[in-house]
Every structure is written in structure tokens, then in C-alpha cells.
Amino acid sequence: QVQLVESGGGVVQPGRSLRLSCTGSGFTFSNSDMHWVRQTPGKGLEWVAFISYDRSREFYVDPVKGRFTISRDNSKNTLFLQMNSLGPEDTAVYYCAKEGSTSGYYWGRFDYWGQGTLVTVSS
Amino acid sequence: DIQMTQSPSSLSASVGDRITITCQASQDVSKFLNWYQQKPGKAPKLLIYDASNLGTGVPSRFSGSGSGTYFTFTISSLQPEDFATYYCQQYDYVPYTFGQGTKLEIK
């Protein structure tokens, strides 16, 4: 069965960096487009970033552009989110999610999610 | 960004009831609308994709309809395990955006 396991969350001071990881199993990771989505009590669910299976496409939500970088290592079935210049507004549970659309040109259907990893930005 | 507005924000119902949640998009998103269920402490689960298609393994009491800017999500006969929070989400445009959620509680 499809499984996604995130790691790397924790407490970090404002302005510092953190890298999240997500390891996938039970599906062909190297053929799958992937996303990061975050959730806060205040703002709800917010899509953060997308990367295509072959790393040819990347999309980001505006508040993280220039600060966050999504990447992947298909040889290790692992997705990453490098988060720099973190602020209190980045405090959230971060989920990795697998893309469910097979169209090849429409993305944004999150068919499987990890359990999430909590990032807290606080001094 | 496209704003997704769900109604109601919360809903009390009993086992066996039929309930409907609506989702309105601030502009036309065609059929590119998903519905998710989330239980406390868990990740969201995809229930409906492309407005009306049932996700893998999702019971047939769940259904969705609509296109353009107006969508509905229905549970035909509530079961105890259905009490959760439900979200709509559009994926016609980047950034993909979610509704604020509808919390379904037991009456």
C-alpha cells in the first residue's frame, strides 16, 4: 500500500533553516509528481509546492517563493523541502502528498498524504 | 488567488441523515474540484476528485456534483465514522486552494 513518511520537523528560531524529508513506498516514486501542503489552525490547509516526477517543473505558493525549495532524490524515493528564512507564519504541520492526476498537464489532486511533521518557528 | 468558500462552516446531524455541503469558487474552475475528509490528528483523505468521481475505496454514500463556480458534496446516509471535517479544493489554477472546512458533528 502507498505510504508516505515525513521527517525533519521541530522547533526552529526565526530566520533559521530547516529541511523536511518525505520517503515514499508502495508505489513507483520516480514516476510520481509530488507536493507539500501545510496546515495551521488559523489559515487551514495551504498548498506549498509541487515538483514533477522528473524535476522539470516546480511551482510554489507566493509566500514561500525565494525561501523554500522543493527537490527530490528518485534513487532514494525521497522528497525534500528546504525552508530558509523561516518566520512565525511558517509554523504548521507539513504534509507531503502524492499527485493523483495522470493527465500529465493538470496537477493538484492529492491522492495520498503522509502523517505530517510539525514545524514550529519560535524564539 | 481563487477563493473557495464552503457553507456551512459547521453542521450537526444524526446517524442516517442526508447532508449536503456547498463550495463556491471565486472564479470558474471547470470540473477541477476535489473533496477531502479529515479526522482529528490525521491527514486529509481524498474522497471525490474532478467534482464527481469517487476516490479509491470510497463508499458510494459519498457523492459530489457541480462545475464552474458552484459545487456540492453529499453524504446520503451518515455513518458514525463520517463525523469529521470536510474540505473542498480547486486545482484549475496555481496556487491550488482549499475551502475553510466544514466540521460535521454528531447531534
Side-chain angles (χ1 to χ4, degrees):
Chain A
Q1 72 282 17
V2 173
Q3 196 166 12
L4 296 166
V5 179
E6 301 96 338
S7 60
V11 179
V12 61
Q13 291 180 328
R16 303 298 289 265
S17 300
L18 204 61
R19 188 173 87 153
L20 305 183
S21 300
C22 167
T23 301
S25 60
F27 66 104
T28 307
F29 183 87
S30 59
N31 289 348
S32 298
D33 302 321
M34 299 293 296
H35 301 264
W36 287 99
V37 179
R38 65 186 178 183
Q39 184 171 30
T40 64
K43 287 192 69 179
L45 286 161
E46 181 179 43
W47 167 81
V48 174
F50 161 87
I51 187 168
S52 61
Y53 71 99
D54 60 357
R55 299 189 293 270
S56 64
R57 291 180 176 86
E58 293 176 22
F59 309 141
Y60 298 89
V61 69
D62 279 351
V64 310
K65 281 180 184 176
R67 299 190 300 123
F68 289 13
T69 302
I70 190 171
S71 62
R72 62 192 297 160
D73 183 341
N74 286 342
S75 69
K76 296 181 178 177
N77 288 357
T78 303
L79 175 74
F80 302 102
L81 185 68
Q82 177 67 43
M83 304 186 294
N84 298 332
S85 302
L86 284 161
E89 69 278 8
D90 299 312
T91 294
V93 174
Y94 285 75
Y95 296 99
C96 65
K98 176 183 163 295
E99 172 59 50
S101 173
T102 55
S103 70
Y105 56 88
Y106 262 101
W107 303 276
R109 183 194 308 170
F110 314 123
D111 65 347
Y112 291 95
W113 300 59
Q115 85 287 354
T117 187
L118 176 62
V119 172
T120 302
V121 183
S122 174
S123 53
Chain B
D1 299 358
I2 295 179
Q3 308 303 313
M4 307 300 292
T5 303
Q6 286 181 234
S7 184
S9 296
S10 64
L11 177 59
S12 292
S14 302
V15 173
D17 284 354
R18 177 186 181 92
I19 67 98
T20 296
I21 299 169
T22 65
C23 178
Q24 192 140 7
S26 60
Q27 61 189 80
D28 190 336
V29 297
S30 185
K31 66 173 183 176
F32 299 106
L33 190 286
N34 303 319
W35 290 95
Y36 299 87
Q37 176 193 66
Q38 187 177 31
K39 296 182 179 179
K42 301 292 187 182
K45 174 187 175 182
L46 178 66
L47 297 182
I48 302 285
Y49 66 93
D50 289 355
S52 61
N53 292 292
L54 220 53
T56 303
V58 175
S60 59
R61 65 180 181 273
F62 296 97
S63 64
S65 66
S67 66
T69 63
Y70 188 79
F71 301 86
T72 62
F73 171 81
T74 297
I75 307 176
S76 60
S77 179
L78 278 170
Q79 299 302 300
E81 61 269 28
D82 298 339
F83 293 94
T85 300
Y86 293 86
Y87 297 91
C88 63
Q89 173 244 330
Q90 68 80 22
Y91 67 111
D92 198 12
Y93 296 95
V94 173
Y96 313 120
T97 49
F98 292 84
Q100 82 279 13
T102 295
K103 188 173 183 179
L104 178 56
E105 298 174 308
I106 301 175
K107 185 182 287 184

